[in-house]
Amino acid sequence: MFCYQCETAAKGIGCDKVGVCGKQPTTSDLQDLLVHALKGIGFWADLAREKGASDNAIDRFVIEALFTTVTNVDFDDDSVAKVIAEAVGYREQARALFEKANGGAYTGQIPEAAQNWEFPADRAAQLALAQLHGVKDPNVDADIQSIRSTILFGVKGYAAYADHAIILERESDEIYAFTHKALSKLLDDSLGLMDYVELALETGRINLLAMELLNKAHTDRYGHPVPTPVQLGTKAGKAILVSGHDLRFLEELLKQTEGKGINIYTHGEMLPAHGYPGLKKYAHLVGNFGGAWQDQYKEFQDFPGAIIFNTNCIQRPADNYKDRLFTWGRVQYPDVRHIDGWDFSEVIECALACDGFEDNPGKEILVGFGHNAVLGVADKVIEAVKSGAIKHFFLVGGCDGAKSGRNYYTEFAEKAPKDTVILTLACGKYRFNKMDFGDIGGIPRLLDVGQCNDAYSAVQIALALADAFDCGVNDLPLSMILSWYEQKAVAILLTLLHLGIKNIKLGPSLPAFITPNVLNFLVENYNIAPISTAEEDLKQILG
């Protein structure tokens, strides 16, 4: 195995024995083969689209399969192997689609990924084949390999958002078309470094489109988030803990548990769900339990109910809660019960058989400051900036993780001057979202914008402020202090670069897949810099 798609890549280079995330070498190799197969599908599907032909089944499958390979989604070899077998079938379906539209066979050179290779039935043979198609090709220039990996990981990232949107019955042909195009171009050895740089920036544009699509799907169905206090304590009764990102999953579970004496708690990236009117109306959505994903192994042992993951961020479970753990959607873990479809009776029965909580009220925190809520008080914000009451905005957000160095974000938020406002999103906020930052003229100094995909809201806030002050985003008193962990963060970073946003500080470490030359390009053109210390960075930003 060799995997360097997440921030915890071993030794800052890549995991080659077992993933720091817990991914086994066999799983890693099979996921590499799945990506190889998806590139083959992309080749044929892209050619077919040039002829005006497409197939929604192929489109959806590619998105779902890409999401399968995102960090902390699918740890089950049998599950990944099943998806590879499906991919081989879809590759041939995409080839037939092209040939029909073309009126004959393709006469150009067919890359290996798109050729008629078979997926063996025997696991040993599967793994032997997989090891021929790892993420790094020694025959490819290191800088080309670097930018290709950046594009692939960005595509994987926005595939997660597109998958959530599909579940809410929202799709985009533009997203599908670009995905096939990008996968196909990753096979094209005639392209140079700047060709791939342009493709990377286009990946950022498509991620913005995916986040916009998902935002509209969420707000059309559940309303715009509103500022809402969320209870961090517990309420007497049986309990189910929901971890992940998928709001429709939460809605369906809330419907099926209504009136059954079961309280629903959110975990990790589900916390922002409490701000949506269409979800907060359920009285048994009672609070949030625990913090970010990396603490689940310890925290879940203290949860006396059923636990279910609906998107990525699962870890190897402890034995004393494994029998209460379920997965759904693309998430799978060996020997953990998986729920197919929308019937959650098995999860409900498990919760009813568990002890449940006693009353133990705790602290409340505020969520629900999406762009609609913030822009609803834009006049107050603008006046506070003009009067000098607000001197600066910091977007301090992104992924959390177990790797050392992430205490930087806590220190940064703590030490940010009291005349500054902190916007935050994704699970990185758990580093500081329980702290009392006070307010500035009634405007809370800490504004929780939402999930990682709600970077869309943060962008809309920034663009609205730039419009109000008749300047560019880079001229605003706004600094972006980002933490990254997995591929969705890569996609968001590419979106910010697509928008021309500069002076981003990124940590806790730089991506292992970025070569010195590619990093120099980012520094020279966008002034991206690694974080240093909270004190030094605040001094440098505020002058």
Side-chain angles (χ1 to χ4, degrees):
M1 78 175 283
F2 182 82
C3 182
Y4 63 173
Q5 69 178 3
C6 81
E7 193 268 334
T8 54
K11 299 179 182 178
I13 298 172
C15 298
D16 57 4
K17 293 182 175 60
V18 66
V20 174
C21 68
K23 183 166 61 176
Q24 295 302 305
T26 52
T27 314
S28 178
D29 291 344
L30 288 170
Q31 289 185 352
D32 288 345
L33 185 57
L34 175 54
V35 170
H36 181 67
L38 293 172
K39 290 176 183 176
I41 297 174
F43 176 82
W44 292 114
D46 185 50
L47 288 174
R49 281 181 180 275
E50 290 179 0
K51 300 293 182 180
S54 62
D55 184 326
N56 187 250
I58 294 172
D59 296 339
R60 286 186 169 197
F61 173 80
V62 170
I63 291 295
E64 292 166 353
L66 282 165
F67 189 21
T68 297
T69 70
V70 169
T71 301
N72 291 58
V73 174
D74 196 332
F75 289 84
D76 187 87
D77 289 1
D78 291 341
S79 169
V80 179
K82 180 181 177 182
V83 181
I84 298 171
E86 291 177 316
V88 170
Y90 277 112
R91 183 199 65 214
E92 292 310 298
Q93 192 170 321
R95 181 204 290 261
L97 184 70
F98 162 74
E99 291 178 345
K100 181 178 179 181
N102 189 52
Y106 182 65
T107 57
Q109 184 175 356
I110 302 174
E112 183 184 1
Q115 293 175 15
N116 188 28
W117 56 271
E118 298 292 333
F119 184 52
D122 176 70
R123 182 56 49 83
Q126 293 172 358
L127 294 171
L129 178 61
Q131 288 162 13
L132 299 176
H133 301 292
V135 295
K136 294 187 76 173
D137 186 340
N139 299 314
V140 175
D141 173 80
D143 295 330
I144 295 289
Q145 181 73 63
S146 174
I147 197 69
R148 279 182 175 179
S149 292
T150 304
I151 293 164
L152 173 62
F153 300 154
V155 169
K156 286 186 180 189
Y158 77 63
Y161 300 145
D163 178 76
H164 302 334
I166 288 170
I167 291 170
L168 286 164
E169 301 175 345
R170 296 297 178 92
E171 300 179 64
S172 164
D173 194 64
E174 188 174 1
I175 292 173
Y176 291 145
F178 177 80
T179 303
H180 300 152
K181 171 186 172 183
L183 291 170
S184 180
K185 286 188 179 296
L186 293 178
L187 300 170
D188 190 346
D189 292 330
S190 72
L191 299 181
L193 188 61
M194 291 311 298
D195 296 314
Y196 281 120
V197 168
E198 291 177 8
L199 191 64
L201 295 176
E202 184 71 356
T203 303
R205 185 185 73 82
I206 295 299
N207 180 60
L208 182 61
L209 182 62
M211 292 193 299
E212 181 182 22
L213 183 72
L214 183 56
N215 177 269
K216 184 166 177 53
H218 283 163
T219 55
D220 282 354
R221 190 175 183 110
Y222 306 115
H224 282 280
V226 295
T228 303
V230 179
Q231 175 61 232
L232 301 183
T234 61
K235 184 175 180 180
K238 306 294 186 177
I240 296 175
L241 183 62
V242 180
S243 188
H245 304 72
D246 197 276
L247 298 188
R248 184 177 175 190
F249 172 95
L250 180 61
E251 178 190 24
E252 295 298 328
L253 182 65
L254 287 166
K255 288 178 179 178
Q256 292 181 36
T257 51
E258 198 164 21
K260 288 184 166 62
I262 298 174
N263 294 319
I264 307 299
Y265 296 82
T266 56
H267 172 264
E269 288 266 50
M270 290 302 296
L271 170 62
H274 293 270
Y276 287 90
L279 297 173
K280 62 182 289 185
K281 68 181 182 181
Y282 291 94
H284 60 303
L285 179 62
V286 297
N288 189 76
F289 180 89
W293 66 273
Q294 76 277 0
D295 296 325
Q296 67 189 256
Y297 186 87
K298 178 181 178 181
E299 293 175 343
F300 287 4
Q301 298 185 55
D302 297 325
F303 189 83
I307 305 164
I308 186 162
F309 277 86
N310 59 61
T311 60
N312 63 313
C313 293
I314 193 171
Q315 281 186 318
R316 179 179 66 85
D319 289 340
N320 68 347
Y321 68 80
K322 191 174 184 179
D323 63 339
R324 297 181 281 111
L325 184 64
F326 299 83
T327 60
W328 180 85
R330 307 310 298 180
V331 189
Q332 301 242 15
Y333 204 95
D335 301 320
V336 170
R337 285 176 287 180
H338 186 75
I339 303 298
D340 286 313
W342 296 97
D343 181 359
F344 302 127
S345 56
E346 190 175 357
V347 182
I348 292 169
E349 290 168 6
C350 176
L352 291 172
C354 293
D355 293 338
F357 278 115
E358 295 181 357
D359 265 321
N360 186 22
K363 182 182 177 66
E364 288 187 337
I365 58 174
L366 275 175
V367 302
F369 291 95
H371 64 278
N372 193 66
V374 174
L375 297 181
V377 294
D379 55 338
K380 294 181 180 179
V381 174
I382 293 166
E383 181 56 38
V385 174
K386 288 181 176 178
S387 70
I390 295 178
K391 293 288 199 308
H392 207 88
F393 296 89
F394 295 108
L395 175 59
V396 185
C399 309
D400 204 0
K403 192 173 179 180
S404 62
R406 291 182 182 269
N407 57 316
Y408 164 91
Y409 299 94
T410 308
E411 294 173 8
F412 192 99
E414 284 180 316
K415 294 177 179 178
K418 295 189 182 302
D419 56 5
T420 63
V421 171
I422 300 167
L423 303 170
T424 192
L425 51 81
C427 64
K429 64 188 165 217
Y430 281 106
R431 293 276 167 173
F432 48 81
N433 68 345
K434 299 178 183 67
M435 298 177 182
D436 185 2
F437 290 93
D439 66 86
I440 299 174
I443 301 168
R445 284 194 57 231
L446 181 66
L447 301 176
D448 186 344
V449 178
Q451 298 178 326
C452 58
N453 51 277
D454 291 314
Y456 174 78
S457 272
V459 167
Q460 297 311 303
I461 292 168
L463 292 175
L465 288 173
D467 183 63
F469 289 105
D470 193 23
C471 65
V473 172
N474 291 315
D475 301 315
L476 288 170
L478 168 67
S479 300
M480 298 197 178
I481 317 298
L482 305 181
S483 56
W484 82 284
Y485 175 70
E486 43 92 310
Q487 296 80 72
K488 284 178 284 184
V490 176
I492 290 169
L493 178 61
L494 292 177
T495 293
L496 298 177
L497 300 183
H498 155 72
L499 293 170
I501 294 174
K502 299 183 178 182
N503 306 314
I504 297 167
K505 293 195 179 294
L506 184 66
S509 61
L510 295 176
F513 52 85
I514 296 293
T515 59
N517 287 336
V518 173
L519 177 60
N520 287 339
F521 174 86
L522 294 174
V523 171
E524 290 172 6
N525 289 275
Y526 298 96
N527 199 31
I528 285 182
I531 60 172
S532 57
T533 67
E535 295 90 342
E536 290 174 359
D537 287 345
L538 280 165
K539 183 178 179 181
Q540 184 266 320
I541 291 167
L542 298 175

